[in-house]
Amino acid sequence: MNKNKIKVIAFDADDTLWVNETIFRNAEKAFAQQFSNYFEEDEIVKILLDTEIRNLETYGYGIKGFTLSLIEAAQDITKNNISGENLQFILDLGKQMLAEPVELIPEIEDVLKKLSKNYKLVVATKGDLLDQERKLIKSGLIDYFHHIEIVSDKKEKQYKKLVKHLDIKPEEFLMIGNSLKSDILPVLAMGGHAYHIPFHTTWVHEEVKDEVKHPNFKALKAAKELLDYLI
């Protein structure tokens, strides 16, 4: 890739700028333990995952939709006999997730500071608007970004719309993210560039088993490696 052709670098937010999946997995574990007198914890996690995926088109991504799926899964687990105590546990769990401090990915702020001197940086993320805006403000990173794009899902259609809004060509756009499914493949499909920086935990729904082979793709191990290619 000729770095001089890149005009805009977009960053995913969750698990690319800050830690997110760990919060969901901890909540998932707490939920499974709370209802472990009904089923084995692994079975409870499977019921919850099936519920989440079934509800994606209705609730989208984020903590609020996850909390609603927790309630629905609890109804299934208890055969529509969830107690007031367990309902309150779920509501408190959701609020606790929303109140979690923002933990930045190691070295990401230094990377943004250096890249922002040479490129226009944007955030391209999916999830709940209010929650993502809250995390951006709490992260202290918002001033590095020229534009914030929070969408219900990230597919080729959404990326094409973003590129058009930014008034650039697809080949002038670079996406950085931890999800091959959401951050990498749709961008490559439209003719853009994409760098993958994996997070140690990936939601099952975001996993891609096939190896990505594309001239516009790079697989990195950490955010600091971006400087080797872009500065």
Side-chain angles (χ1 to χ4, degrees):
M1 180 191 76
N2 183 349
K3 65 183 181 182
N4 295 323
K5 288 185 177 181
I6 298 298
K7 293 183 177 179
V8 175
I9 302 176
F11 284 81
D12 172 49
D14 293 334
D15 300 317
T16 299
L17 298 178
W18 52 68
V19 173
N20 178 69
E21 191 62 24
T22 304
I23 295 171
F24 280 82
R25 296 292 70 79
N26 289 341
E28 182 183 87
K29 183 177 180 180
F31 176 78
Q33 291 175 343
Q34 181 72 9
F35 289 89
S36 59
N37 57 318
Y38 289 91
F39 296 104
E40 294 292 330
E41 291 185 22
D42 288 348
E43 180 62 21
I44 291 173
V45 170
K46 184 180 183 304
I47 292 170
L48 175 58
L49 176 62
D50 291 343
T51 305
E52 287 182 82
I53 292 175
R54 188 169 64 243
N55 286 336
L56 276 178
E57 288 190 10
T58 303
Y59 299 146
Y61 297 84
I63 293 173
K64 293 176 185 176
F66 177 74
T67 304
L68 290 172
S69 288
L70 287 175
I71 294 172
E72 185 176 327
Q75 285 286 73
D76 289 343
I77 291 165
T78 63
K79 298 187 184 302
N80 296 317
N81 195 30
I82 183 174
S83 67
E85 179 182 352
N86 278 333
L87 179 59
Q88 189 61 54
F89 169 83
I90 293 171
L91 294 174
D92 289 343
L93 187 60
K95 290 178 181 178
Q96 180 182 329
M97 293 173 72
L98 289 167
E100 286 284 343
V102 175
E103 178 186 350
L104 296 182
I105 297 295
E107 301 177 302
I108 192 65
E109 184 166 12
D110 183 58
V111 169
L112 294 175
K113 186 182 297 184
K114 290 175 179 177
L115 290 178
S116 64
K117 296 176 182 179
N118 298 302
Y119 302 91
K120 183 180 292 185
L121 305 185
V122 306
V123 173
T125 190
K126 60 186 178 185
D128 178 76
L129 177 62
L130 184 63
D131 186 35
Q132 295 295 59
E133 287 180 337
R134 175 189 62 82
K135 287 189 285 188
L136 267 169
I137 292 169
K138 290 177 70 174
S139 73
L141 301 178
I142 195 167
D143 290 340
Y144 293 111
F145 296 104
H146 170 80
H147 176 73
I148 310 297
E149 188 82 5
I150 302 173
V151 295
S152 59
D153 203 355
K154 290 196 293 187
K155 297 181 179 178
E156 188 176 350
K157 176 183 177 181
Q158 283 82 11
Y159 285 109
K160 285 182 175 179
K161 183 177 179 181
L162 174 59
V163 165
K164 183 177 180 180
H165 175 78
L166 295 168
D167 195 27
I168 59 172
K169 299 174 183 178
E171 58 267 29
E172 297 171 328
F173 179 83
L174 169 62
M175 181 68 194
I176 313 293
N178 69 292
S179 170
L180 290 170
K181 182 177 180 180
S182 297
D183 302 320
I184 306 303
L185 296 180
V187 174
L188 295 177
M190 76 164 183
H193 300 263
Y195 289 2
H196 181 236
I197 306 175
F199 188 65
H200 61 78
T201 303
T202 301
W203 188 33
V204 174
H205 186 64
E206 292 291 328
E207 290 180 351
V208 173
K209 295 182 180 180
D210 296 334
E211 183 180 358
V212 178
K213 294 182 179 180
H214 195 285
N216 292 355
F217 171 75
K218 290 188 186 301
L220 309 181
K221 293 181 179 179
K224 65 180 180 179
E225 293 181 43
L226 291 169
L227 302 179
D228 297 334
Y229 294 100
L230 298 168
I231 297 296

